[in-house]
Amino acid sequence: MPDRYRYISEQAEWDAVAAELSESPRLALDTERNGRFAYRERICLIQISDGKRTYLLDPITVDDLSVLGNILGDGSVLKAVHGSEEDVRFLHRDFGFTVSNLFDTGMAARFLGVGRPNLGAVLEEFCGVVIPKDRQLQMSHWGLRPLSRSALDYAASDVHHLLTLVDELDYHLEKTGRQDWVREECDRVSALRHPPEEPLDTAYRRVKGWDSLDPRQMAVLRELYAFRDGKACVWDMPVHQVASNDDLLALAQSDGIVERGTGGMLAGRCFGELLEAMQRGRDGPEEPKPERPDAPPEPWTPERRERLKSLKRWRAQLSDDLGIAVSHIWPTTSLERIALYAGSMAHELAGGEGDVRRWQRAEFGAELTQLVDGWEQ
């Protein structure tokens, strides 16, 4: 494998390669990130293949990647990625890059009824290619330098055969008439963006069970959450490795007593500061519980529940007939709106709330309308 890829860690080398890649009509792409080892996950390696040569681009040592951004945003160049959602999000967050003309081979495989859409299984099924998948290499620390030869081999294998796989999948999509289905789904993935970071003052509510705490305990949890985040940043570690959410919840309920085995690295490395954070929560202002609006009257009458069951049976039958997941047939949120008010069918066929795809409306809209016709509105 080493003679079939080139590791690029210098700007001048990348500039020369980028000029060549700019002429390619299609490229395979993948990224490796360091989320298991760093406070702020980032892209640490970018794998690119034009079908003849594979390049491993080091974005830690190569500063100017603007040509890559131009290529990714060029709608005339097809970009093949397997399981592209996180790649799209992080390419935009880390570099401001958008990806147009995306072909997600994992998405295509799912629309062809593949039960195990991981890259290794799909390559073996459609191309007869077996790529080595080592669990230890999958867990590699991609932020470390130098990267091992085995890690680079592993990274290169993820894109080396990807354009061949595109051809095979596209052939089968054309035979089944599902090319437009996958194209629209890939366009939706291209529009994904990394969610903005939530302020620490409210982010503590991500801890499961926070709403069972009283106002004083919530104040302690808020302080502990911010304290953990600060230490994780300084130590450059994922927050869950510093202390688990369960640890924070237990400490918030502990009345200042830290039981042995609770608190993770916070208790092991900075026990005194941990106690101070808990004390700040006990001494400071209580955290008011968010006001909850009164629940609206229960809209789900027995008749409407039966409607929803009927709609889901219809969807499940189509799923079996087509060999694809029920989630690809029609969104549950839309079926719920139709079940609640049959008169909303026209609205759903016009696009609904944006969750119903064009291809779904074109393929299944008439059949669904026929099922709904005759229901009382």
Side-chain angles (χ1 to χ4, degrees):
M1 178 64 77
D3 62 331
R4 298 165 68 182
Y5 66 78
R6 180 173 163 190
Y7 178 65
I8 301 175
S9 60
E10 296 182 359
Q11 186 69 51
E13 188 178 11
W14 164 243
D15 291 341
V17 168
E20 297 177 11
L21 292 177
S22 295
E23 303 299 319
S24 300
R26 57 184 198 164
L27 295 171
L29 182 78
D30 191 24
T31 67
E32 304 295 346
R33 303 185 303 276
N34 62 343
R36 295 185 180 91
F37 302 94
Y39 169 71
R40 181 177 175 83
E41 183 175 5
R42 62 166 292 186
I43 292 175
C44 299
L45 190 69
I46 302 172
Q47 304 100 285
I48 308 169
S49 176
D50 62 3
K52 299 177 182 177
R53 184 80 172 174
T54 296
Y55 303 93
L56 305 183
L57 172 61
D58 190 337
I60 295 177
T61 58
V62 177
D63 293 327
D64 185 359
L65 302 180
S66 56
V67 177
L68 177 61
N70 294 336
I71 295 172
L72 294 179
D74 186 345
S76 68
V77 179
L78 181 140
K79 272 72 67 174
V81 187
H82 192 88
S84 60
E85 292 188 5
E86 292 303 297
D87 300 288
V88 167
R89 287 190 175 102
F90 277 90
L91 283 166
H92 184 265
R93 193 205 70 176
D94 289 357
F95 309 112
F97 296 162
T98 57
V99 182
S100 60
N101 195 3
L102 171 69
F103 187 100
D104 188 318
T105 50
M107 181 78 71
R110 289 197 296 273
F111 272 88
L112 291 171
V114 174
R116 294 172 55 231
N118 64 80
L119 178 59
V122 176
L123 274 173
E124 187 170 359
E125 178 173 346
F126 286 90
C127 302
V129 172
V130 178
I131 57 175
K133 284 298 175 184
D134 186 302
R135 178 65 176 168
Q136 186 174 354
L137 291 174
Q138 288 178 327
M139 304 286 286
S140 293
H141 190 337
W142 297 102
L144 291 180
R145 294 297 181 271
L147 291 168
S148 68
R149 175 61 68 183
S150 57
L152 294 174
D153 291 348
Y154 165 84
S157 70
D158 280 345
V159 295
H160 190 72
H161 303 283
L162 211 52
L163 292 177
T164 301
L165 179 60
V166 167
D167 293 334
E168 291 296 320
L169 293 171
D170 197 49
Y171 168 76
H172 289 281
L173 289 172
E174 183 178 17
K175 284 182 62 178
T176 56
R178 299 177 186 179
Q179 283 178 313
D180 289 342
W181 303 8
V182 172
R183 187 174 296 113
E184 183 176 351
E185 295 297 331
C186 288
D187 287 345
R188 292 174 72 93
V189 172
S190 294
L192 293 175
R193 298 293 178 262
H194 203 279
E197 293 184 8
E198 185 178 356
L200 290 176
D201 284 348
T202 56
Y204 75 89
R205 296 173 187 168
R206 297 174 185 170
V207 176
K208 185 178 181 180
W210 73 270
D211 51 353
S212 66
L213 303 179
D214 62 38
R216 175 55 62 203
Q217 292 170 332
M218 287 170 58
V220 175
L221 179 62
R222 181 195 61 216
E223 290 294 334
L224 289 171
Y225 194 94
F227 176 62
R228 178 184 66 172
D229 189 83
K231 288 300 182 183
C233 182
V234 170
W235 297 339
D236 193 22
M237 297 178 62
V239 291
H240 68 270
Q241 291 184 15
V242 173
S244 70
N245 283 350
D246 288 343
D247 278 336
L248 299 191
L249 190 68
L251 291 171
Q253 297 170 311
S254 68
D255 295 327
I257 300 173
V258 180
E259 298 289 344
R260 182 179 295 274
T262 304
M265 294 179 67
L266 292 179
R269 287 190 178 184
C270 48
F271 186 75
E273 291 178 81
L274 172 61
L275 294 179
E276 290 173 2
M278 295 171 66
Q279 191 63 47
R280 285 196 299 273
R282 290 196 300 275
D283 292 342
E286 292 186 345
E287 184 73 1
K289 284 205 171 188
E291 293 185 7
R292 298 180 183 275
D294 294 335
E298 171 59 57
W300 287 103
T301 63
E303 180 184 9
R304 287 169 171 169
R305 292 188 185 280
E306 284 303 316
R307 289 178 180 178
L308 184 58
K309 290 179 182 179
S310 175
L311 293 170
K312 288 185 174 181
R313 284 194 296 269
W314 164 79
R315 186 176 63 172
Q317 185 60 58
L318 265 179
S319 172
D320 289 342
D321 293 344
L322 297 174
I324 61 178
V326 292
S327 59
H328 293 321
I329 302 296
W330 201 276
T332 298
T333 50
S334 175
L335 295 184
E336 290 174 345
R337 292 192 295 268
I338 295 169
L340 287 171
Y341 178 54
S344 68
M345 192 65 218
H347 176 64
E348 300 302 315
L349 292 178
E353 304 302 318
D355 50 355
V356 184
R357 279 59 159 163
R358 292 189 304 275
W359 70 266
Q360 290 171 331
R361 303 196 301 269
E363 292 290 332
F364 312 127
E367 186 175 343
L368 183 56
T369 300
Q370 187 176 4
L371 176 63
V372 173
D373 278 349
W375 286 358
E376 293 183 7
Q377 300 187 15

